[in-house]
Amino acid sequence: TGKLKKSLDYDYKSLKIYKKIDDKNGEANCLNNIGFDYQLLKDYDKALEYFNKCLIVLRKSDNTRGIPYVLNGIGVVYKLKGDTTNAMKNFKESLEFHEKKGNKSGIPSVLQNIAMIYAIEGNIPSALNYITKSLKLCRELNDGIRITRAYNDFATVLFEQKNITLSLLYADSSLSVSKEIGYAVGTRDAAELLSKIYKKQNKVDEANEMFALFVQMRDSVNFLRDVKDYFMLATKKKEKMIQNDSLRKQSTFHNSI
């Protein structure tokens, strides 16, 4: 929480500077960062406020490429709030935007998010249909990380449906690909699900082995996140110093005219 509040402080200060120098891309980036920080702090109303402010800036600027990603982010926040209607609305708008622009790389994540909303609402055929579409596109893009997520989403939906055999198959595939590409988050999530599957099957040794792997990967991911946060804050601090120096030089230049 302390690190997130520091991050917010830097983002607010940077936002003020970007507004002052009329840098719309920098302003949108800061608004998006602030929204994401509030999301991590579980202040979902504030997150939505800043994601929507970011969306307004992007719609008014020439940089429309970021719009579908922000819409996806808004959908995620609504999902976390339990508002599946608005989550689906934003996910589908994001998907439509990606498809219209021919941006294939942005589509799989949105398809997976739509699938999870269908799963929450109990529409399993539609959920599996969207995961299948996502998996097909991930394979076309040779995107290992998203392939592992699609496998894990398949496994999660099937597990909830008590289809343990197929759930095991997809969770194991997710784990295999995650290990192969060195994706710690994917390994963590697959191991957690596999521990639950093996527990359902009364396979105690396998369940314990997967739970131990889950804990190991969880700690590894948390450590890497701490390192990333440290460098992110250091970078933001450096950027702020550069921005302040730039403003000081601009002020000196104007005063000398």
Side-chain angles (χ1 to χ4, degrees), residues 29-49:
N29 190 51
C30 285
L31 289 167
N32 188 64
N33 288 343
I34 291 169
F36 189 64
D37 284 341
Y38 277 123
Q39 178 185 323
L40 293 176
L41 288 166
K42 294 182 170 55
D43 190 339
Y44 299 134
D45 290 336
K46 275 283 185 185
L48 288 172
E49 177 188 338

mmCIF file of all heavy atoms in Angstrom, residues 29-49:
data_model
loop_
_atom_site.group_PDB
_atom_site.id
_atom_site.type_symbol
_atom_site.label_atom_id
_atom_site.label_comp_id
_atom_site.label_asym_id
_atom_site.label_seq_id
_atom_site.Cartn_x
_atom_site.Cartn_y
_atom_site.Cartn_z
ATOM 1 N N ASN A 29 -1.356 8.905 -20.227
ATOM 2 C CA ASN A 29 -0.572 7.849 -19.590
ATOM 3 C C ASN A 29 -0.642 7.960 -18.069
ATOM 4 O O ASN A 29 -0.808 6.956 -17.364
ATOM 5 C CB ASN A 29 0.885 7.913 -20.062
ATOM 6 C CG ASN A 29 1.674 6.711 -19.613
ATOM 7 O OD1 ASN A 29 1.280 5.562 -19.805
ATOM 8 N ND2 ASN A 29 2.821 6.956 -18.999
ATOM 9 N N CYS A 30 -0.526 9.185 -17.559
ATOM 10 C CA CYS A 30 -0.611 9.407 -16.107
ATOM 11 C C CYS A 30 -1.997 9.060 -15.568
ATOM 12 O O CYS A 30 -2.129 8.427 -14.513
ATOM 13 C CB CYS A 30 -0.281 10.857 -15.768
ATOM 14 S SG CYS A 30 1.470 11.234 -15.862
ATOM 15 N N LEU A 31 -3.042 9.479 -16.284
ATOM 16 C CA LEU A 31 -4.415 9.178 -15.861
ATOM 17 C C LEU A 31 -4.646 7.669 -15.803
ATOM 18 O O LEU A 31 -5.271 7.148 -14.879
ATOM 19 C CB LEU A 31 -5.414 9.826 -16.824
ATOM 20 C CG LEU A 31 -5.518 11.352 -16.755
ATOM 21 C CD1 LEU A 31 -6.288 11.886 -17.957
ATOM 22 C CD2 LEU A 31 -6.183 11.802 -15.453
ATOM 23 N N ASN A 32 -4.094 6.966 -16.803
ATOM 24 C CA ASN A 32 -4.226 5.513 -16.833
ATOM 25 C C ASN A 32 -3.478 4.871 -15.660
ATOM 26 O O ASN A 32 -3.992 3.951 -15.002
ATOM 27 C CB ASN A 32 -3.672 4.964 -18.155
ATOM 28 C CG ASN A 32 -3.956 3.491 -18.328
ATOM 29 O OD1 ASN A 32 -5.096 3.055 -18.433
ATOM 30 N ND2 ASN A 32 -2.904 2.682 -18.349
ATOM 31 N N ASN A 33 -2.261 5.364 -15.378
ATOM 32 C CA ASN A 33 -1.468 4.846 -14.257
ATOM 33 C C ASN A 33 -2.180 5.072 -12.928
ATOM 34 O O ASN A 33 -2.185 4.197 -12.053
ATOM 35 C CB ASN A 33 -0.088 5.513 -14.225
ATOM 36 C CG ASN A 33 0.808 5.035 -15.338
ATOM 37 O OD1 ASN A 33 0.559 3.998 -15.949
ATOM 38 N ND2 ASN A 33 1.858 5.788 -15.622
ATOM 39 N N ILE A 34 -2.773 6.256 -12.778
ATOM 40 C CA ILE A 34 -3.503 6.576 -11.537
ATOM 41 C C ILE A 34 -4.696 5.633 -11.379
ATOM 42 O O ILE A 34 -4.952 5.101 -10.294
ATOM 43 C CB ILE A 34 -3.964 8.049 -11.535
ATOM 44 C CG1 ILE A 34 -2.747 8.975 -11.419
ATOM 45 C CG2 ILE A 34 -4.942 8.319 -10.384
ATOM 46 C CD1 ILE A 34 -3.053 10.447 -11.670
ATOM 47 N N GLY A 35 -5.419 5.414 -12.489
ATOM 48 C CA GLY A 35 -6.555 4.490 -12.447
ATOM 49 C C GLY A 35 -6.134 3.100 -12.035
ATOM 50 O O GLY A 35 -6.790 2.445 -11.213
ATOM 51 N N PHE A 36 -4.995 2.631 -12.590
ATOM 52 C CA PHE A 36 -4.513 1.293 -12.269
ATOM 53 C C PHE A 36 -4.071 1.194 -10.810
ATOM 54 O O PHE A 36 -4.314 0.192 -10.138
ATOM 55 C CB PHE A 36 -3.362 0.906 -13.203
ATOM 56 C CG PHE A 36 -2.955 -0.533 -13.071
ATOM 57 C CD1 PHE A 36 -3.836 -1.559 -13.400
ATOM 58 C CD2 PHE A 36 -1.697 -0.866 -12.612
ATOM 59 C CE1 PHE A 36 -3.468 -2.891 -13.271
ATOM 60 C CE2 PHE A 36 -1.310 -2.200 -12.482
ATOM 61 C CZ PHE A 36 -2.200 -3.214 -12.815
ATOM 62 N N ASP A 37 -3.422 2.255 -10.301
ATOM 63 C CA ASP A 37 -3.020 2.271 -8.889
ATOM 64 C C ASP A 37 -4.240 2.168 -7.977
ATOM 65 O O ASP A 37 -4.243 1.421 -6.991
ATOM 66 C CB ASP A 37 -2.235 3.545 -8.569
ATOM 67 C CG ASP A 37 -0.802 3.495 -9.097
ATOM 68 O OD1 ASP A 37 -0.309 2.381 -9.370
ATOM 69 O OD2 ASP A 37 -0.175 4.562 -9.248
ATOM 70 N N TYR A 38 -5.290 2.940 -8.301
ATOM 71 C CA TYR A 38 -6.518 2.869 -7.494
ATOM 72 C C TYR A 38 -7.162 1.485 -7.591
ATOM 73 O O TYR A 38 -7.737 0.983 -6.621
ATOM 74 C CB TYR A 38 -7.510 3.948 -7.930
ATOM 75 C CG TYR A 38 -7.240 5.297 -7.307
ATOM 76 C CD1 TYR A 38 -7.034 6.434 -8.094
ATOM 77 C CD2 TYR A 38 -7.201 5.454 -5.920
ATOM 78 C CE1 TYR A 38 -6.787 7.672 -7.520
ATOM 79 C CE2 TYR A 38 -6.955 6.686 -5.334
ATOM 80 C CZ TYR A 38 -6.752 7.790 -6.141
ATOM 81 O OH TYR A 38 -6.500 9.007 -5.562
ATOM 82 N N GLN A 39 -7.056 0.865 -8.765
ATOM 83 C CA GLN A 39 -7.585 -0.504 -8.925
ATOM 84 C C GLN A 39 -6.864 -1.459 -7.976
ATOM 85 O O GLN A 39 -7.502 -2.270 -7.297
ATOM 86 C CB GLN A 39 -7.403 -0.975 -10.365
ATOM 87 C CG GLN A 39 -7.887 -2.414 -10.609
ATOM 88 C CD GLN A 39 -7.588 -2.884 -12.023
ATOM 89 O OE1 GLN A 39 -7.668 -2.108 -12.973
ATOM 90 N NE2 GLN A 39 -7.228 -4.145 -12.166
ATOM 91 N N LEU A 40 -5.528 -1.346 -7.917
ATOM 92 C CA LEU A 40 -4.749 -2.206 -7.021
ATOM 93 C C LEU A 40 -5.056 -1.912 -5.554
ATOM 94 O O LEU A 40 -4.983 -2.808 -4.715
ATOM 95 C CB LEU A 40 -3.243 -2.015 -7.289
ATOM 96 C CG LEU A 40 -2.742 -2.509 -8.656
ATOM 97 C CD1 LEU A 40 -1.263 -2.178 -8.835
ATOM 98 C CD2 LEU A 40 -2.961 -4.016 -8.816
ATOM 99 N N LEU A 41 -5.415 -0.647 -5.269
ATOM 100 C CA LEU A 41 -5.793 -0.271 -3.896
ATOM 101 C C LEU A 41 -7.242 -0.647 -3.570
ATOM 102 O O LEU A 41 -7.723 -0.386 -2.483
ATOM 103 C CB LEU A 41 -5.602 1.238 -3.696
ATOM 104 C CG LEU A 41 -4.155 1.734 -3.608
ATOM 105 C CD1 LEU A 41 -4.093 3.251 -3.760
ATOM 106 C CD2 LEU A 41 -3.523 1.300 -2.288
ATOM 107 N N LYS A 42 -7.917 -1.257 -4.580
ATOM 108 C CA LYS A 42 -9.324 -1.682 -4.460
ATOM 109 C C LYS A 42 -10.293 -0.512 -4.274
ATOM 110 O O LYS A 42 -11.397 -0.680 -3.760
ATOM 111 C CB LYS A 42 -9.509 -2.708 -3.331
ATOM 112 C CG LYS A 42 -8.797 -4.025 -3.609
ATOM 113 C CD LYS A 42 -9.039 -5.034 -2.502
ATOM 114 C CE LYS A 42 -8.546 -6.420 -2.862
ATOM 115 N NZ LYS A 42 -7.137 -6.510 -3.270
ATOM 116 N N ASP A 43 -9.865 0.692 -4.688
ATOM 117 C CA ASP A 43 -10.765 1.845 -4.705
ATOM 118 C C ASP A 43 -11.321 1.916 -6.131
ATOM 119 O O ASP A 43 -10.854 2.697 -6.974
ATOM 120 C CB ASP A 43 -10.006 3.128 -4.350
ATOM 121 C CG ASP A 43 -10.938 4.315 -4.127
ATOM 122 O OD1 ASP A 43 -12.095 4.255 -4.622
ATOM 123 O OD2 ASP A 43 -10.528 5.296 -3.499
ATOM 124 N N TYR A 44 -12.321 1.080 -6.402
ATOM 125 C CA TYR A 44 -12.783 0.876 -7.779
ATOM 126 C C TYR A 44 -13.487 2.088 -8.374
ATOM 127 O O TYR A 44 -13.391 2.338 -9.580
ATOM 128 C CB TYR A 44 -13.675 -0.363 -7.842
ATOM 129 C CG TYR A 44 -12.959 -1.625 -7.426
ATOM 130 C CD1 TYR A 44 -13.537 -2.535 -6.540
ATOM 131 C CD2 TYR A 44 -11.673 -1.899 -7.887
ATOM 132 C CE1 TYR A 44 -12.867 -3.684 -6.155
ATOM 133 C CE2 TYR A 44 -10.993 -3.047 -7.508
ATOM 134 C CZ TYR A 44 -11.594 -3.939 -6.639
ATOM 135 O OH TYR A 44 -10.929 -5.070 -6.251
ATOM 136 N N ASP A 45 -14.176 2.855 -7.531
ATOM 137 C CA ASP A 45 -14.846 4.052 -8.045
ATOM 138 C C ASP A 45 -13.826 5.087 -8.533
ATOM 139 O O ASP A 45 -14.013 5.710 -9.580
ATOM 140 C CB ASP A 45 -15.750 4.667 -6.974
ATOM 141 C CG ASP A 45 -16.973 3.800 -6.700
ATOM 142 O OD1 ASP A 45 -17.353 3.024 -7.603
ATOM 143 O OD2 ASP A 45 -17.530 3.875 -5.596
ATOM 144 N N LYS A 46 -12.746 5.250 -7.772
ATOM 145 C CA LYS A 46 -11.677 6.171 -8.173
ATOM 146 C C LYS A 46 -10.972 5.652 -9.429
ATOM 147 O O LYS A 46 -10.599 6.428 -10.317
ATOM 148 C CB LYS A 46 -10.658 6.337 -7.042
ATOM 149 C CG LYS A 46 -11.035 7.391 -6.025
ATOM 150 C CD LYS A 46 -10.764 8.780 -6.589
ATOM 151 C CE LYS A 46 -11.009 9.857 -5.550
ATOM 152 N NZ LYS A 46 -10.866 11.209 -6.132
ATOM 153 N N ALA A 47 -10.784 4.334 -9.489
ATOM 154 C CA ALA A 47 -10.154 3.733 -10.668
ATOM 155 C C ALA A 47 -10.975 4.044 -11.913
ATOM 156 O O ALA A 47 -10.430 4.472 -12.944
ATOM 157 C CB ALA A 47 -10.017 2.221 -10.479
ATOM 158 N N LEU A 48 -12.279 3.859 -11.816
ATOM 159 C CA LEU A 48 -13.165 4.146 -12.949
ATOM 160 C C LEU A 48 -13.125 5.624 -13.324
ATOM 161 O O LEU A 48 -13.123 5.978 -14.506
ATOM 162 C CB LEU A 48 -14.600 3.726 -12.626
ATOM 163 C CG LEU A 48 -14.879 2.217 -12.593
ATOM 164 C CD1 LEU A 48 -16.288 1.950 -12.081
ATOM 165 C CD2 LEU A 48 -14.696 1.605 -13.979
ATOM 166 N N GLU A 49 -13.072 6.468 -12.321
ATOM 167 C CA GLU A 49 -13.027 7.916 -12.571
ATOM 168 C C GLU A 49 -11.814 8.271 -13.437
ATOM 169 O O GLU A 49 -11.941 9.008 -14.428
ATOM 170 C CB GLU A 49 -12.950 8.657 -11.235
ATOM 171 C CG GLU A 49 -12.834 10.170 -11.376
ATOM 172 C CD GLU A 49 -12.574 10.883 -10.054
ATOM 173 O OE1 GLU A 49 -12.891 10.297 -8.988
ATOM 174 O OE2 GLU A 49 -12.034 12.010 -10.084
#
